[in-house]
Amino acid sequence: MTTSTAAPVRTQDVGRRTRRRSSLERRYSRAAWWFISPWLVGFLVFTAWPMIYSAYLSFTDYDVINDPQLVGWANYQELFSDPKVALALQNTLVYAALAVPAHILLALGLALLLDQASRRASGFFRTAFFLPKMTPPVAIGVLLILLFNGQRGAVNTVLGWFGITGPAWTTDPAWVKPGLVLMGLWTVGSTVIILLAALRGVPTDLYDAARVDGAGFWRRTRAVTLPMISGPLFFVVVVNTIAALQMFTEAYTAYFGSGNTTYSNDAALFYVIYLFQQAFEFLHMGYASALAWLLFLVIMAITGIQVLVSRRLVYYEGEAR
Amino acid sequence: MTTAPAVPTPVIEQPPTDGPRTRQRRVPPARRVGRVLVVVALLLATAAFVYPFVWLLSASFKPRGDVFDNRLWPRTWTFQNYLDVWQTAPMATWLVNTVIVTVLAATTVTATSAMVAWGFAHFRFRGRNVLFGLVLATMMLPGAVTMVPTYLIWKQLGFVGTLVPLWGQNLFASAFYVFLLRQFFLALPRELFEAARLDGAGPWRVFTRIAVPLCRPALVLTLLFEVQAAWTDLMRPLIYLQDSSTFTVPRGLKALLDQFGFGGEWHWEIVVTASVITTLPMILLFFFGQKHFIQGIATTGSKG
């Protein structure tokens, strides 16, 4: 096998092989479409089509039995004159404004504490904090009514030990939302875990440097820890805000129900609950669709503002984009 | 509670890999007080987190009038509540329904999401980035926007009143799991798949024989997440189920609450006991899968 004779054969061979390879490559890549086809079909049927259809329905009156009747902008006009929409929107925004900071602050506090504990201890506590996240929201709704019961609930019993007369959490309109917020704090577990993972990722030498410069615990937390975990922190703020704006199950379980709704409490009338009632209790599908689009806009606007604010506050390591 | 194996192993000092801890190992005695305070604070928090479970469990063993008696050790123990729940409500049917929905929801969404994630992670094709952008965008879409039309689709197909709408959509993958699994697939070394292809394996074979087995921890995570989501869902059962014989456990619990908590006759012991029955399977699931849950949440969060 001498190089002089082998060389031309090889080049020819390589040329043919790359051509065949590339057509093989293309055929192989065609399989990608089979792999993503479940999502593609699902996207068209359960996302794209519903969005188009919901936009159309929002301009109609539709009670499921009779055909949709086009009504122009009437549903949207009604949105702005319906006092219940204003109330539901206000309730939802107030709830989110209370729940999100409380949730993040508690989660951050617990994560900082866990970061100080030994690894074995933090494993135990992490498990304990995460456990409530496994509780079905409907059971959390039940717990809310029982533990926050004005007269006999455990929460007011504990407050009583300190000489505090607790409010009627579940019946006094002023205390319904704080009660829901406090019960909601029970499920901070997953946020704690995300933040703890972020804290563990902060390089130690930064703390050492800060300590050499004489920074105490608070100073280190403010100047090193918070900037270094600002990415995950921003993530949990956005996710929790979106979730809070769509609050449904716990409040619906505790304050609304089918049939004789004698116990409905408008202090807990959140936006998605009102939407659900309009759609599936009153069968106002068109109006409910318009409600859905208003919620969509509100969520987009709030998330957009958060993203804009985060540009100034969030620090991404190695960011050169 | 710890994930360490039960086999006795010689105690080896951990090499100083993680910064914060080794830093605290050599704390001067003055700072020990601080560490004790940390543990005390954590213990108090733990008590607050565990208390509602213990309260619920203990209340389910109290006779009717004692439910609101806030002592954790019942004055008198009774098992009657569990028998009563079983007799008042078709609890066994509800449990079977929930298991059916949960198993179908979790297996289908894991299988299809893995396929789709692999499609986006492994192949290069035109439009890939645009389509994956769409996957990410759908994660942001609030469920309320598609709620009404989705109901109308299932109604058109004649599935309202059956369990199908509670899991049917999972046949088409889910954006969140696609995102999650793609991260795992991308972390696998590409050479492995190239080698398999040179040995003549087709795309499906590469996926099922090499990628899926290597990605098993991530698939277990997806399965666990979806089991939890499907088991605890209330909104879909509220929308799609009317007849009590088709209820899932959370939907049934809500019905019991409407009847015995807010209805004419108060039977809180029934509501409390049904809450325990609804919650317990998830607690058991957590103790089997806690490692996956906690690692999964830590990784999804920091990558998000």
Side-chain angles (χ1 to χ4, degrees):
Chain A
M1 236 217 257
T2 51
T3 37
S4 57
T5 52
V9 178
R10 263 177 73 194
T11 41
Q12 207 184 359
D13 198 33
V14 164
R16 208 194 309 141
R17 198 178 288 162
T18 41
R19 209 183 316 128
R20 202 194 303 143
R21 186 69 92 64
S22 74
S23 93
L24 258 178
E25 187 74 51
R26 235 179 297 133
R27 206 189 311 156
Y28 187 83
S29 284
R30 220 166 284 154
W33 292 95
W34 285 108
F35 278 97
I36 66 165
S37 63
W39 172 78
L40 214 52
V41 173
F43 173 76
L44 293 173
V45 177
F46 287 106
T47 306
W49 169 245
M51 283 182 79
I52 295 166
Y53 198 55
S54 160
Y56 161 72
L57 280 180
S58 74
F59 294 102
T60 67
D61 261 350
Y62 185 41
D63 60 2
V64 188
I65 300 141
N66 303 297
D67 287 341
Q69 299 285 317
L70 274 170
V71 293
W73 290 92
N75 286 328
Y76 289 95
Q77 279 161 358
E78 198 178 336
L79 280 185
F80 292 102
S81 54
D82 183 346
K84 284 238 177 183
V85 172
L87 178 69
L89 204 54
Q90 190 196 329
N91 281 341
T92 307
L93 293 175
V94 168
Y95 171 76
L98 292 173
V100 176
H103 186 101
I104 301 294
L105 285 176
L106 178 65
L108 189 59
L110 290 174
L112 283 169
L113 281 174
L114 282 176
D115 195 36
Q116 302 294 312
S118 73
R119 179 145 293 198
R120 179 179 292 215
S122 91
F124 166 78
F125 290 121
R126 212 172 47 166
T127 302
F129 296 161
F130 183 73
L131 201 55
K133 197 70 196 169
M134 298 303 289
T135 312
V138 61
I140 297 179
V142 169
L143 276 169
L144 170 75
I145 322 170
L146 296 170
L147 295 178
F148 284 82
N149 181 289
Q151 288 106 50
R152 295 177 292 177
V155 172
N156 280 359
T157 307
V158 172
L159 288 176
W161 296 344
F162 300 97
I164 303 167
T165 312
W169 299 94
T170 53
T171 48
D172 183 347
W175 287 98
V176 162
K177 278 184 280 289
L180 275 162
V181 170
L182 285 176
M183 194 68 222
L185 289 180
W186 197 41
T187 54
V188 292
S190 52
T191 312
V192 174
I193 289 164
I194 291 173
L195 293 179
L196 179 63
L199 289 175
R200 289 267 154 88
V202 178
T204 326
D205 43 342
L206 289 179
Y207 288 111
D208 293 339
R211 193 166 290 159
V212 167
D213 289 345
F217 175 77
W218 288 114
R219 190 65 215 268
R220 286 200 301 274
T221 302
R222 252 191 44 226
V224 179
T225 314
L226 289 182
M228 288 305 289
I229 64 163
S230 55
L233 203 55
F234 172 63
F235 171 78
V236 296
V237 168
V238 170
V239 168
N240 275 295
T241 308
I242 294 177
L245 293 172
Q246 296 185 79
M247 167 62 154
F248 176 79
T249 306
E250 290 86 341
Y252 186 83
T253 304
Y255 298 112
F256 298 88
S258 50
N260 51 339
T261 47
T262 49
Y263 53 96
S264 81
N265 192 329
D266 277 353
L269 183 72
F270 293 116
Y271 199 89
V272 176
I273 293 179
Y274 188 55
L275 201 165
F276 172 87
Q277 288 181 329
Q278 285 294 340
F280 301 106
E281 286 175 21
F282 313 141
L283 296 179
H284 296 160
M285 295 292 174
Y287 191 49
S289 301
L291 279 166
W293 281 102
L294 180 63
L295 178 68
F296 180 65
L297 290 181
V298 169
I299 290 179
M300 284 293 140
I302 291 176
T303 311
I305 292 168
Q306 287 176 334
V307 170
L308 284 180
V309 172
S310 81
R311 291 233 174 108
R312 297 192 52 218
L313 297 179
V314 176
Y315 167 76
Y316 291 106
E317 208 177 351
E319 184 180 48
R321 281 161 280 163
Chain B
M1 205 66 88
T2 49
T3 49
V7 191
T9 44
V11 182
I12 303 165
E13 266 305 318
Q14 285 283 308
T17 43
D18 58 318
R21 195 160 53 91
T22 48
R23 194 184 65 231
Q24 287 146 15
R25 267 282 153 77
R26 287 175 258 114
V27 280
R31 224 180 281 158
R32 282 225 186 105
V33 182
R35 301 202 56 191
V36 170
L37 285 177
V38 165
V39 173
V40 169
L42 286 170
L43 281 173
L44 282 175
T46 304
F49 278 93
V50 175
Y51 179 83
F53 286 117
V54 182
W55 186 90
L56 197 66
L57 195 63
S58 122
S60 74
F61 290 107
K62 289 171 185 169
R64 197 177 161 198
D66 281 3
V67 170
F68 275 102
D69 165 50
N70 282 320
R71 69 185 73 204
L72 290 183
W73 193 259
R75 259 187 301 209
T76 28
W77 286 80
T78 170
F79 200 71
Q80 190 59 38
N81 298 337
Y82 286 87
L83 299 175
D84 286 349
V85 168
W86 228 259
Q87 271 164 11
T88 6
M91 204 37 118
T93 314
W94 293 350
L95 281 167
V96 170
N97 289 342
T98 320
V99 169
I100 292 173
V101 168
T102 304
V103 167
L104 288 173
T107 49
T108 54
V109 90
T110 306
T112 53
S113 300
M115 276 175 64
V116 175
W118 178 247
F120 280 115
H122 181 63
F123 300 94
R124 307 193 189 293
F125 54 96
R126 271 219 284 176
R128 183 178 71 158
N129 293 336
V130 175
L131 287 176
F132 193 68
L134 273 178
V135 173
L136 296 182
T138 56
M139 274 168 66
M140 294 286 166
L141 187 74
V145 174
T146 52
M147 192 163 83
V148 166
T150 306
Y151 168 80
L152 296 172
I153 290 173
W154 289 119
K155 193 173 166 58
Q156 199 73 45
L157 294 172
F159 284 120
V160 168
T162 73
L163 298 175
V164 177
L166 308 196
W167 61 271
Q169 229 172 303
N170 286 4
L171 284 168
F172 305 102
S174 132
F176 173 70
Y177 299 131
V178 168
F179 173 73
L180 186 79
L181 291 169
R182 179 176 163 274
Q183 300 287 97
F184 280 90
F185 281 134
L186 285 176
L188 299 175
R190 245 192 125 69
E191 295 78 40
L192 268 166
F193 312 120
E194 303 291 348
R197 280 185 59 192
L198 287 178
D199 287 348
W204 184 251
R205 232 182 135 74
V206 173
F207 172 63
T208 52
R209 294 296 164 84
I210 302 169
V212 164
L214 286 173
C215 201
R216 197 173 293 153
L219 296 173
V220 170
L221 174 71
T222 307
L223 214 57
L224 288 176
F225 274 165
E226 188 58 25
V227 165
Q228 197 256 358
W231 188 281
T232 61
D233 185 29
L234 176 69
M235 197 196 257
R236 266 188 282 197
L238 275 174
I239 293 175
Y240 293 105
L241 307 176
Q242 289 107 29
D243 193 278
S244 133
S245 68
T246 59
F247 282 1
T248 58
V249 203
R251 179 67 188 89
L253 174 58
K254 176 62 180 144
L256 288 176
L257 178 68
D258 287 349
Q259 190 183 344
F260 295 115
F262 301 121
E265 216 184 333
W266 286 2
H267 277 287
W268 283 108
E269 78 284 2
I270 300 265
V271 178
V272 158
T273 309
S275 302
V276 172
I277 298 172
T278 309
T279 308
L280 219 50
M282 288 304 97
I283 303 298
L284 292 176
L285 178 77
F286 176 69
F287 280 108
F288 285 116
Q290 60 159 319
K291 199 181 74 184
H292 299 279
F293 272 118
I294 287 177
Q295 279 172 359
I297 284 163
T299 47
T300 48
S302 45
K303 276 173 190 159

